[in-house]
Amino acid sequence: MTLPTLHQLITQGDLDGFTQALQDGADPNQLDSVMGNAPLHIAAQRSETAFVKTLLEHGAFINLQVPKHGVTPLMVAVWHRKPAVVECLLADKYINVEISSHFGLKAQQLIDFGAADDDRFGQQQAEQIRALFEQHHKQQLKQQATMEAFNIVTAASSSDQEKAARLRALSQQQTLNATSPVTSSGNDEHTAVMVAARDGLVASLRQLMDLGGDQQIPDHYMKAIPLHKAAYNGHAAVIELLADYPGFQETLNAQGPNNGYTPLHDAIWHGHLKAAQALIEAGADIELRAYDGTTPLELAKQYQYQEIAELLGSNK
């Protein structure tokens, strides 16, 4: 098996050549053709962190799973008992410790793999790694606790009006536009504004925007902005509300990097006539093409949404 260039440079310990290759345009996420390991999976096996840090600086996907077995770089570092690398990966804001491999185990569940009970050094390494995961968990809880606005809008037991009242009484607003940690919660890297727009919490969203909410901050999963979420879920009232605040024009025709859909595409995708109408009336571009090659009108015809197609046709 011939490894790709970056993989080879890591195995050779050639950091200078490795860094130069990345600067010259080598793909930090290239997979080998046999297992599907990315350079970061190989780097995570080493005891030092230089290759890992360099890859992350050049855009390596920290949570990339090997196609064969679903192992992430963090899992590799834990499995190979590399505390320094585990610490480095856990310090990254995008690390996701909740990912499961194809054989059903998360990174933390691999701590005790390999080291025998009488392996003193191995057990010491395992304890180091276990402590790092505990520290990471505590830091996430601490971060989450400070996000007052986010915690208010995600409270399942409160109505929209109750949430809006609590938002008006916020004790501090420093974390108003903070993004939630990556925990596989469904709210990863969401702001309070994102959650309110997604869930159609009009009263809460109005209060957030009056306090200085930012509607241009994307989420973790799709790098979508609040307007995408509102359109996707058919919340026409949310769209109309956001149109009255700064940042709306900057996001009105934003194309998501996952599929190239604009908010208008997202509204049409699921047949939300009123949401599509709100976006069109706000001046959405009806000619932009998504990655699948469709304009909004073509997408409406593809999914046989006749009313939306007629609406778009009359606005051409």
Side-chain angles (χ1 to χ4, degrees):
M1 170 183 171
T2 301
L3 290 171
T5 300
L6 289 181
H7 298 60
Q8 291 185 45
L9 291 168
I10 295 169
T11 63
Q12 294 163 6
D14 184 356
L15 182 60
D16 290 340
F18 178 79
T19 303
Q20 187 61 54
L22 284 167
Q23 292 173 348
D24 291 342
D27 183 0
N29 295 302
Q30 182 181 3
L31 308 184
D32 73 62
S33 60
V34 175
M35 293 301 299
N37 283 303
L40 194 56
H41 291 98
I42 306 301
Q45 298 178 33
R46 300 182 67 88
S47 296
E48 80 283 355
T49 62
F51 287 96
V52 169
K53 290 180 178 178
T54 303
L55 280 165
L56 293 176
E57 290 168 359
H58 284 81
F61 293 134
I62 194 169
N63 298 310
L64 191 63
Q65 293 182 270
V66 176
K68 289 278 189 179
H69 44 60
V71 166
T72 66
L74 179 61
M75 293 177 193
V76 171
V78 172
W79 208 339
H80 287 263
R81 300 200 307 275
K82 306 295 183 180
V85 177
V86 171
E87 183 175 17
C88 176
L89 292 171
L90 286 176
D92 191 283
K93 67 176 291 188
Y94 296 116
I95 193 68
N96 187 347
V97 302
E98 299 301 326
I99 295 173
S100 292
S101 66
H102 297 340
F103 44 88
L105 296 180
K106 299 177 183 179
Q108 193 168 0
Q109 295 171 308
L110 295 172
I111 292 176
D112 294 318
F113 271 47
D117 292 341
D118 60 354
D119 181 352
R120 182 175 298 178
F121 181 62
Q123 292 302 326
Q124 287 176 345
Q125 289 177 308
E127 285 305 313
Q128 283 181 272
I129 293 172
R130 192 171 287 110
L132 289 170
F133 273 91
E134 182 61 28
Q135 180 184 16
H136 175 73
H137 180 62
K138 289 180 179 178
Q139 288 174 339
Q140 283 194 325
L141 290 177
K142 184 178 180 180
Q143 177 186 351
Q144 189 82 44
T146 66
M147 298 176 60
E148 287 190 276
F150 176 86
N151 292 331
I152 289 171
V153 298
T154 54
S157 59
S158 302
S159 69
D160 185 19
Q161 295 300 328
E162 289 170 336
K163 291 174 181 179
R166 290 178 62 194
L167 288 168
R168 282 193 292 274
L170 272 179
S171 61
Q172 54 87 20
Q173 298 173 20
Q174 291 92 329
T175 62
L176 180 69
N177 292 309
T179 57
S180 58
V182 177
T183 59
S184 291
S185 65
N187 292 322
D188 290 0
E189 213 177 351
H190 281 40
T191 61
V193 168
M194 180 74 75
V195 174
R198 179 196 67 193
D199 295 349
L201 304 175
V202 177
S204 297
L205 182 59
R206 179 176 290 107
Q207 188 61 45
L208 287 167
M209 298 308 293
D210 285 345
L211 290 170
D214 188 341
Q215 62 174 303
Q216 298 185 67
I217 300 174
D219 76 340
H220 179 73
Y221 302 112
M222 302 290 181
K223 288 301 175 187
I225 36 83
L227 199 56
H228 281 116
K229 299 281 188 176
Y232 181 92
N233 289 292
H235 299 315
V238 167
I239 295 168
E240 291 166 355
L241 187 154
L242 289 174
D244 292 332
Y245 291 90
F248 181 79
Q249 290 302 321
E250 289 80 358
T251 60
L252 178 58
N253 297 307
Q255 292 187 267
N258 186 64
N259 55 17
Y261 277 16
T262 64
L264 182 55
H265 281 88
D266 274 342
I268 294 167
W269 184 8
H270 294 287
H272 297 307
L273 174 62
K274 290 184 178 179
Q277 187 170 14
L279 289 164
I280 293 168
E281 290 176 353
D285 188 336
I286 64 174
E287 299 296 338
L288 287 175
R289 292 189 179 275
Y291 295 167
D292 58 14
T294 60
T295 64
L297 177 57
E298 290 166 347
L299 191 66
K301 290 179 177 179
Q302 184 180 106
Y303 285 107
Q304 300 183 23
Y305 296 132
Q306 186 61 35
E307 286 184 282
I308 297 178
E310 290 175 359
L311 174 66
L312 287 161
S314 67
N315 280 272
K316 285 182 69 69

